[in-house]
Amino acid sequence: MAGTESNGGATTSLLRAEGDRERPREPWKGEFVKSIVYAGLDAIVTCFSLISSISASTRSSGDVLVLGFANLVADGISMGFGDFVSSSTEKDVGVKERAVTEWDITHHAPAEQRDLLRQYQALGMDINDATMVVNIFAKYKDIMVDEKMVAQKGMLPPDEADKPWKHGLVTFVTFIVFGSAPLLSFIVLIPFTHNDTVKFVGACVLSALALALLGIAKAKIAGQNYTLSVAVTLFNGAIAAAAAYTLGSVLTKVAGLED
């Protein structure tokens, strides 16, 4: 009876200990996560840095709007097309690499199996277990090909459902949406003030809010600390904007363009 109670207590303690271990926060998975985060951050920082440099050169708010939106659309198209080309190239390389791996397994199966066996052993797997795993994979050619790509070449098999043009479109739209944030104050404040300094301060506030929102989204996606993610994102934007403003002010004085 005492032994039963002892076992029960041990089981309860074990379950309690397992329950105390907090499961790590799982990141949000999405097909366009990289495109959204990268394009959004680049858009805000690029557009606000441009506004900072223009404002430092004592140009009018009209110049800010014209140059800002022209630069925003041009950069958006460039970013979207760049993401499309990058995703297309990555997919094409994956397809080609899989074809090469499939040919090697078809024509040199024993040698490829030995290579995979050595790979598993290098990772710490027992020779008997590694042999059993390789023998099982050898029965299924497609699985063997995919496993070879991941284990030895560090490449995920290409996803046939992946559409590079979607990545390009998402990048373009994200860039335009987030990049418009710093410019909004120069439009929204038109009925209330003609003071360019006030509009620039508004652009700073809107840019900070957009960067904070992006930092929160990045933390949510990656399962990171919200405060740290927002702080890093704001710091990135502040450094870029300060550099652009300082450079614009210095070059204006050097070139003698001050009013």
Side-chain angles (χ1 to χ4, degrees):
M1 186 72 176
T4 303
E5 291 178 356
S6 177
N7 291 338
T11 301
T12 303
S13 299
L14 180 61
L15 291 174
R16 186 180 297 111
E18 290 291 336
D20 291 339
R21 297 176 186 172
E22 184 178 355
R23 184 173 184 266
R25 185 165 41 187
E26 185 174 349
W28 179 74
K29 303 176 183 65
E31 183 180 357
F32 307 109
V33 168
K34 184 186 76 172
S35 298
I36 293 173
V37 173
Y38 177 64
L41 179 60
D42 188 72
I44 298 170
V45 172
T46 299
C47 192
F48 183 58
S49 297
L50 178 66
I51 291 174
S52 299
S53 62
I54 296 174
S55 298
S57 64
T58 66
R59 288 181 176 272
S60 67
S61 58
D63 293 329
V64 172
L65 286 175
V66 171
L67 295 175
F69 276 111
N71 180 77
L72 179 64
V73 173
D75 278 357
I77 293 174
S78 177
M79 287 282 294
F81 186 72
D83 197 353
F84 165 73
V85 172
S86 175
S87 300
S88 298
T89 303
E90 185 179 6
K91 184 176 181 179
D92 291 342
V93 170
V95 170
K96 182 66 175 178
E97 194 63 52
R98 194 182 192 284
V100 172
T101 304
E102 185 174 2
W103 189 94
D104 289 340
I105 289 177
T106 301
H107 295 84
H108 305 289
E112 294 298 317
Q113 290 174 22
R114 285 194 298 271
D115 288 343
L116 193 58
L117 180 63
R118 284 193 290 267
Q119 179 73 20
Y120 288 149
Q121 285 184 272
L123 293 174
M125 188 178 290
D126 179 75
I127 179 63
N128 295 322
D129 292 338
T131 301
M132 180 182 65
V133 171
V134 171
N135 288 337
I136 292 175
F137 282 154
K139 298 178 182 179
Y140 307 95
K141 184 178 178 180
D142 288 340
I143 297 179
M144 182 73 169
V145 171
D146 291 344
E147 184 62 21
K148 282 277 292 182
M149 289 187 65
V150 173
Q152 291 190 329
K153 300 181 179 180
M155 297 179 62
L156 293 174
D159 185 2
E160 296 299 328
D162 187 41
K163 304 297 182 185
W165 67 266
K166 290 184 179 180
H167 290 274
L169 180 61
V170 169
T171 297
F172 172 74
V173 172
T174 302
F175 195 94
I176 295 298
V177 171
F178 278 94
S180 297
L183 293 168
L184 286 179
S185 69
F186 289 89
I187 299 175
V188 174
L189 295 178
I190 288 177
F192 306 101
T193 181
H194 296 291
N195 190 316
D196 291 340
T197 301
V198 173
K199 294 178 181 179
F200 178 68
V201 172
C204 293
V205 173
L206 289 178
S207 297
L209 290 175
L211 285 170
L213 179 62
L214 192 63
I216 292 173
K218 185 166 69 71
K220 177 66 176 178
I221 290 169
Q224 298 173 340
N225 180 275
Y226 286 96
T227 303
L228 179 61
S229 179
V230 170
V232 170
T233 307
L234 287 173
F235 180 75
N236 181 15
I239 292 296
Y245 189 91
T246 302
L247 187 60
S249 179
V250 170
L251 291 178
T252 299
K253 293 177 181 179
V254 171
L257 298 177
E258 289 183 297
D259 294 336

